[in-house]
Amino acid sequence: MVFLVFLLLELFSYKGCQAHLAKCRLQDPHRPLHTYHQPGEFLIGGIVSHGGFFSSPATFTEEPPPAPSEGLVVVPKGYQHIVALAFAVKEINKDPHILPNITLGFHLYDSYISARSTYLATLLLLSMVNKFVPNYICDVENNLTGVIGGLDSEISFYVATLLDIYKIPQLIYGSAPVMNNKSPGLPFYQMAAPEALQYKGILSLLLHFRWTWIGVIAMDNDNGERFLQTISTIFTNGGICFAFLERIPNLSFISEIDAILEQGTIINHKIFSSIANVIVALGESYSMATFRWLPYLSEHDDMTYNIKSKVWISTAQLEFTSFAFQRNWDSAIFSGALAFEIHFRNPPGFHQYVVHRNPSSTHGDGFIRDFWQQAFECVFPDITADKVEGNLCTGEEKLESLPGSLFEMSMTGHSYSIHNAVYAMAHALHAMSTSRLRQRGMVYGARGKNLNQQLWQLHHFLRSISFNNTAGDVVFINQNGEVASSLDIVNWIIFSNQSLRRTQPLSVCTERCLPGSCKKVKEGHPPCCYDCIPCPEGKIADQDDMNDCHKCPDKDYPSKNQAACLPKDISFLSYEEPLGISLACFSLSLSLITALVLGIFIKHHDTPIVIANNRNLTYTLLISLLLCFLCALLFIGQPEKVTCLLRQTAFGIIFSTAVSCVLAKTFTVVLAFMATKPESRMRKWVGKGLGHSILLSCSIVQVGICTVWLATSPPYPDVDMHSMAEEIILECNEGSVTMFYTVLIYMSCMATVSFAVAFLARKLPDSFNEAKFITFSMLVFCSVWLSFIPSYLSTKGKYMVAVEIFSILASGVGLLGCIFAPKCYIIISRPELNNREQLIRKKN
């Protein structure tokens, strides 16, 4: 019958538009009283459940008149669903990453919880924006991309039967309709958890508490009947028995109210006189307003019941709602109810958006006036009426002052599903517009038949859409059109002012051990009673009530409260940090100074002060010091295979060469003095060959040690994850620690011998005698390396490397400063002292 009417309307609208090409003037006489339109290049349709009408039954002898506005009964809490949709569209239009340069709009109608109004609203969505001309585009093309709704399964079914003709997606934010043999596979997407999941959850809850004798109430409609038939089998097989199964009648006409109240009194007596203390309730979102009649009827019953001893368990479809006239009714019987609720979070900015919502600031919202009047028990002045009865609405009333049964400032489960549905539609449109399908046939942001012909392809993108919403949750719709949703079990705490608080039910001996601590069972107590002790050092507990603490992986370290593992920082002495930059600058500066000293000596190579101190050994010593300062750079930067092989061996060989030069110089001075004595046998040893022999032999020994080291157990890049608690140290493993210390010991022995010989020869009466300067230089050298060993062993990571670099630079500075600074002073500042006459005079 509906489809026949639909076809007749199409034919009639076509003829009407042919007769009036300039402008379509057809308009349905029974247009909805409430609509909310926001223009956009893409329109999202919405079927909401804002209220309903109580009227007289139709006689079918004449055309029924339009529903009177005074017969409207609003469910104020349903207005939040409208606000949630408008808020989501507003946020998407501000987001440059979703549909950039494209405006998203919406058009909302009220289903009025009736089939006739729902079909009309759906046809209006499929028609033009302002005129009822189904299936014909007359003035403005309607780019309807999808429809969000409805809240109840029957309403959703009515919408789906029409949208299926056009293959337009429907995103349902309430319970999903059940398809029958005549309507298989209607294209809709379920944004809430399926009811089957709730049935299993309720059964598990009953069995957990051993509640096996229960009562069940449901609304007297198809959905309620299906619920009763389904759980009867499931619960019975699970060992649950029913004290009663009651159906709460729907009130459709004013004339039925007396009969329904009488029937309700009978049901009320059965419920509260039963010894079953657990009641499982199913209904539509507004059914709680109907259930609230039960305590009201008890007040007018002669029987006395202990109604507060009942535990209510409600499904996710039920919300804590009431009609405006029930605002002061007692709701204490529902306090403590265990409610299955759609998991939700409050998106950022939603609370502030709701706070500023009022009739004067909302353009195009046809719902807010009636909501405002019934929620705040006031009326807006009518310019056509001489006198207005009741309190006047100012529009400045505060939504936060309303009780929780009428309106909530934070988002509810159904509003959250609407919010996700809008974002899912926007993400699907965005994905479709950027795909190859758009490049082949759809111009981004275009209008016309080309666009409308492509919108059916949204199904492909919706069935694989996945995104993070603004509240931080992942939204994913699978191939069956079901969102991956979860349910929360909450405890309703209802206060005397009808405000609502949701809490997690809790009944434990010990409340809980927080992260960072673990359980320790008390002796002589049940395992549910325990103490909470802090985790030992180095271990963490990252969840509540952990039996034991555990260690972090090697790449992580425990946080200060020992409640989480944090990633370790990668540590090595780099050129990008102040310490590395400073040491590198010192190394380069000292290298430059050494090069300048070498240049000075080469330039003045024929002067007595240079000749008297063995030029070749002097040049070799300066070159060795230059390379020593430069080899410090090998220790800076991320350890690599080549640098690890070179840094210690190069340092050992070069420094040994430098110390060998000093040792050769010292022996040369001593032997030269001893050779001046009469009949001395030392004369045959004096000469350049002695110094070169000492240099070569001492250096070859160190080269041999380093060669054996590299051949047997060479250094290599390594990772130390345990020495530092919060750092992963990239280092060079020395391979053989024995060989490393052998290199140092050999070099120390040469320095000690050189120091001893120089100390003995420091007072020899010879001009330009270097012994005293070598003594000081070796004293500095030995002091540095003696302090190096404890410092090196007591530090970790990059600071250990820095200690070695400092020792290399400091000992090199000692040799350079003590031996060559006095000579440079004479060569540059006192050239008159650098001559042969001065040398002979001093000798004499």
Side-chain angles (χ1 to χ4, degrees):
M1 183 63 184
V2 173
F3 289 104
L4 179 60
V5 172
F6 175 65
L7 293 174
L8 290 173
L9 286 171
E10 286 188 345
L11 179 61
F12 181 65
S13 64
Y14 174 76
K15 291 180 178 179
C17 281
Q18 289 292 321
H20 303 278
L21 292 177
K23 188 175 183 181
C24 296
R25 300 183 181 276
L26 294 176
Q27 190 167 352
D28 183 77
H30 297 169
R31 292 187 58 79
L33 293 177
H34 305 92
T35 181
Y36 190 178
H37 175 64
Q38 179 175 305
E41 292 166 279
F42 290 117
L43 285 180
I44 293 178
I47 303 295
V48 297
S49 297
H50 177 238
F53 290 98
F54 289 136
S55 59
S56 300
T59 61
F60 296 100
T61 58
E62 59 182 1
E63 182 180 357
S69 58
E70 58 271 14
L72 174 69
V73 177
V74 170
V75 181
K77 204 161 189 175
Y79 182 69
Q80 195 197 81
H81 305 162
I82 299 168
V83 176
L85 192 148
F87 171 75
V89 171
K90 172 178 172 289
E91 293 297 300
I92 290 170
N93 286 335
K94 291 194 309 182
D95 192 338
H97 302 99
I98 307 177
L99 297 175
N101 303 320
I102 294 297
T103 304
L104 195 64
F106 58 84
H107 205 163
L108 307 182
Y109 287 104
D110 199 339
S111 68
Y112 298 115
I113 319 175
S114 72
R116 181 179 182 276
S117 299
T118 302
Y119 278 123
L120 175 59
T122 307
L123 289 172
L124 285 169
L125 289 175
L126 295 169
S127 177
M128 297 172 54
V129 173
N130 294 318
K131 302 174 179 62
F132 179 54
V133 187
N135 205 36
Y136 191 81
I137 304 301
C138 211
D139 279 346
V140 181
E141 295 177 6
N142 181 6
N143 294 332
L144 182 67
T145 59
V147 175
I148 297 177
L151 178 58
D152 306 328
S153 60
E154 290 185 354
I155 299 301
S156 300
F157 179 77
Y158 302 149
V159 175
T161 54
L162 292 182
L163 295 183
D164 185 41
I165 300 173
Y166 300 91
K167 306 302 178 188
I168 292 178
Q170 177 188 7
L171 284 75
I172 297 171
Y173 61 93
S175 59
V178 174
M179 302 294 101
N180 53 43
N181 295 332
K182 298 180 181 179
S183 57
L186 295 181
F188 61 81
Y189 302 86
Q190 187 174 350
M191 303 304 296
E195 289 184 353
L197 181 63
Q198 301 182 54
Y199 301 157
K200 294 179 181 178
I202 294 174
L203 178 60
S204 299
L205 189 65
L206 295 174
L207 295 176
H208 175 76
F209 291 109
R210 298 179 62 193
W211 292 334
T212 57
W213 184 244
I214 67 169
V216 179
I217 62 173
M219 297 302 296
D220 191 7
N221 54 24
D222 292 342
N223 198 32
E225 189 63 33
R226 186 181 73 253
F227 168 72
L228 294 176
Q229 291 178 1
T230 303
I231 68 166
S232 295
T233 304
I234 297 175
F235 285 19
T236 301
N237 293 338
I240 306 298
C241 300
F242 300 99
F244 55 84
L245 297 168
E246 292 297 332
R247 298 164 179 82
I248 306 297
N250 284 308
L251 177 61
S252 301
F253 305 108
I254 296 176
S255 58
E256 300 173 347
I257 189 168
D258 292 333
I260 289 177
L261 288 176
E262 183 178 348
Q263 184 180 355
T265 303
I266 297 172
I267 295 173
N268 177 73
H269 176 72
K270 287 184 179 180
I271 293 174
F272 293 108
S273 62
S274 172
I275 62 172
N277 290 326
V278 175
I279 303 169
V280 178
L282 172 102
E284 309 301 344
S285 62
Y286 52 85
S287 296
M288 185 56 69
T290 304
F291 295 159
R292 294 189 69 185
W293 279 89
L294 296 175
Y296 179 81
L297 293 174
S298 300
E299 295 176 2
H300 299 81
D301 196 342
D302 295 335
M303 302 291 292
T304 301
Y305 309 111
N306 186 16
I307 62 176
K308 295 185 179 181
S309 66
K310 307 295 181 182
V311 176
W312 293 75
I313 300 176
S314 68
T315 58
Q317 186 68 3
L318 274 172
E319 290 188 292
F320 181 61
T321 59
S322 67
F323 296 119
F325 60 83
Q326 296 175 312
R327 70 177 64 237
N328 296 320
W329 288 17
D330 184 18
S331 302
I333 68 166
F334 303 111
S335 185
L338 299 176
F340 284 77
E341 288 192 351
I342 301 169
H343 172 76
F344 66 89
R345 293 187 187 182
N346 223 31
F350 180 74
H351 181 85
Q352 203 67 15
Y353 182 77
V354 176
V355 166
H356 293 95
R357 193 94 178 168
N358 60 63
S360 60
S361 65
T362 52
H363 177 70
D365 186 350
F367 294 86
I368 193 169
R369 286 177 63 89
D370 282 323
F371 157 74
W372 207 269
Q373 290 181 139
Q374 296 203 23
F376 291 105
E377 294 184 306
C378 62
V379 292
F380 286 101
D382 190 348
I383 58 175
T384 62
D386 296 333
K387 186 178 180 180
V388 177
E389 296 182 359
N391 298 325
L392 291 179
C393 296
T394 64
E396 300 300 324
E397 291 83 1
K398 302 298 183 183
L399 289 172
E400 55 262 38
S401 66
L402 293 174
S405 61
L406 295 184
F407 193 82
E408 290 188 63
M409 300 300 290
S410 61
M411 193 168 274
T412 63
H414 288 119
S415 297
Y416 191 64
S417 296
I418 293 174
H419 181 271
N420 288 337
V422 176
Y423 268 88
M425 184 68 69
H427 279 281
L429 280 169
H430 184 83
M432 177 178 170
S433 66
T434 55
S435 69
R436 294 180 181 178
L437 294 175
R438 176 179 76 85
Q439 297 174 2
R440 292 202 299 263
M442 172 182 171
V443 178
Y444 195 38
R447 298 176 180 269
K449 292 183 179 180
N450 194 30
L451 175 63
N452 288 326
Q453 290 172 356
Q454 297 291 330
L455 290 177
W456 63 267
Q457 296 175 348
L458 276 175
H459 289 286
H460 168 73
F461 295 96
L462 280 171
R463 289 189 185 274
S464 59
I465 200 73
S466 177
F467 59 91
N468 292 332
N469 65 14
T470 56
D473 288 334
V474 177
V475 180
F476 169 68
I477 300 178
N478 61 27
Q479 290 296 319
N480 296 325
E482 298 174 340
V483 72
S485 179
S486 60
L487 293 170
D488 295 333
I489 301 178
V490 298
N491 206 185
W492 283 357
I493 306 299
I494 303 173
F495 300 95
S496 58
N497 62 355
Q498 304 305 303
S499 60
L500 172 68
R501 181 182 177 187
R502 297 175 175 87
T503 64
Q504 293 288 343
L506 191 64
S507 179
V508 292
C509 177
T510 302
E511 185 172 350
R512 61 172 174 162
C513 289
L514 296 173
S517 62
C518 62
K519 296 192 295 186
K520 180 182 180 182
V521 178
K522 297 180 180 179
E523 293 187 8
H525 289 79
C528 296
C529 301
Y530 46 81
D531 293 324
C532 297
I533 59 173
C535 290
E537 186 177 355
K539 293 187 176 182
I540 65 125
D542 53 0
Q543 297 178 8
D544 293 344
D545 289 334
M546 292 192 67
N547 293 322
D548 197 6
C549 302
H550 60 86
K551 290 185 176 181
C552 291
D554 288 342
K555 59 182 175 50
D556 298 330
Y557 70 95
S559 60
K560 289 184 178 180
N561 59 1
Q562 295 179 283
C565 290
L566 304 177
K568 291 183 178 180
D569 294 329
I570 304 297
S571 175
F572 60 90
L573 187 61
S574 73
Y575 288 101
E576 299 176 358
E577 58 183 302
L579 181 59
I581 295 173
S582 301
L583 292 174
C585 291
F586 281 127
S587 175
L588 293 174
S589 300
L590 292 173
S591 301
L592 180 60
I593 293 172
T594 307
L596 290 175
V597 172
L598 179 59
I600 292 172
F601 272 70
I602 293 174
K603 183 179 180 180
H604 300 84
H605 67 283
D606 290 330
T607 60
I609 197 170
V610 176
I611 297 172
N613 292 289
N614 198 324
R615 283 180 298 191
N616 294 335
L617 289 178
T618 300
Y619 297 157
T620 304
L621 176 58
L622 286 172
I623 294 172
S624 299
L625 290 176
L626 174 63
L627 294 177
C628 283
F629 293 138
L630 291 177
C631 82
L633 298 177
L634 292 173
F635 292 81
I636 306 175
Q638 183 172 344
E640 302 290 346
K641 185 175 181 179
V642 174
T643 56
C644 287
L645 287 172
L646 290 179
R647 60 168 59 172
Q648 298 292 3
T649 53
F651 151 68
I653 293 172
I654 294 171
F655 241 100
S656 294
T657 302
V659 177
S660 298
C661 290
V662 175
L663 184 60
K665 277 176 166 287
T666 308
F667 269 102
T668 301
V669 172
V670 174
L671 290 177
F673 175 76
M674 294 175 65
T676 59
K677 296 180 180 180
E679 299 180 359
S680 176
R681 297 180 181 179
M682 295 296 176
R683 292 183 180 182
K684 62 179 179 179
W685 296 101
V686 176
K688 293 183 179 179
L690 175 63
H692 296 162
S693 299
I694 294 174
L695 171 62
L696 186 61
S697 58
C698 292
S699 300
I700 287 177
V701 173
Q702 188 71 293
V703 170
I705 295 173
C706 292
T707 302
V708 173
W709 184 7
L710 294 178
T712 56
S713 181
Y716 58 91
D718 197 7
V719 178
D720 182 1
M721 294 187 175
H722 306 289
S723 296
M724 302 288 286
E726 300 180 7
E727 294 179 351
I728 296 176
I729 301 172
L730 302 185
E731 63 179 6
C732 285
N733 190 306
E734 307 303 348
S736 174
V737 178
T738 302
M739 298 303 297
F740 171 65
Y741 284 108
T742 301
V743 169
L744 294 181
I745 291 172
Y746 176 74
M747 190 168 54
S748 301
C749 290
M750 287 195 300
T752 303
V753 172
S754 180
F755 170 71
V757 175
F759 180 79
L760 296 174
R762 70 188 185 282
K763 295 183 179 180
L764 292 177
D766 190 12
S767 298
F768 306 125
N769 184 6
E770 288 186 300
K772 64 179 70 175
F773 303 123
I774 292 174
T775 301
F776 286 118
S777 66
M778 287 295 100
L779 182 62
V780 173
F781 185 91
C782 293
S783 300
V784 169
W785 288 103
L786 284 175
S787 62
F788 161 77
I789 294 176
S791 301
Y792 185 80
L793 295 176
S794 62
T795 53
K796 300 292 183 182
K798 60 185 177 183
Y799 299 106
M800 178 186 287
V801 178
V803 166
E804 186 167 359
I805 295 175
F806 176 79
S807 299
I808 292 172
L809 298 180
S811 56
V813 168
L815 293 176
L816 182 67
C818 294
I819 296 176
F820 294 100
K823 295 180 176 62
C824 289
Y825 171 76
I826 293 175
I827 293 172
I828 297 173
S829 301
R830 302 292 300 275
E832 69 277 6
L833 300 178
N834 188 13
N835 56 70
R836 184 175 179 78
E837 290 75 14
Q838 183 70 17
L839 176 63
I840 295 173
R841 185 180 65 82
K842 285 192 174 185
K843 283 185 177 182
N844 294 330

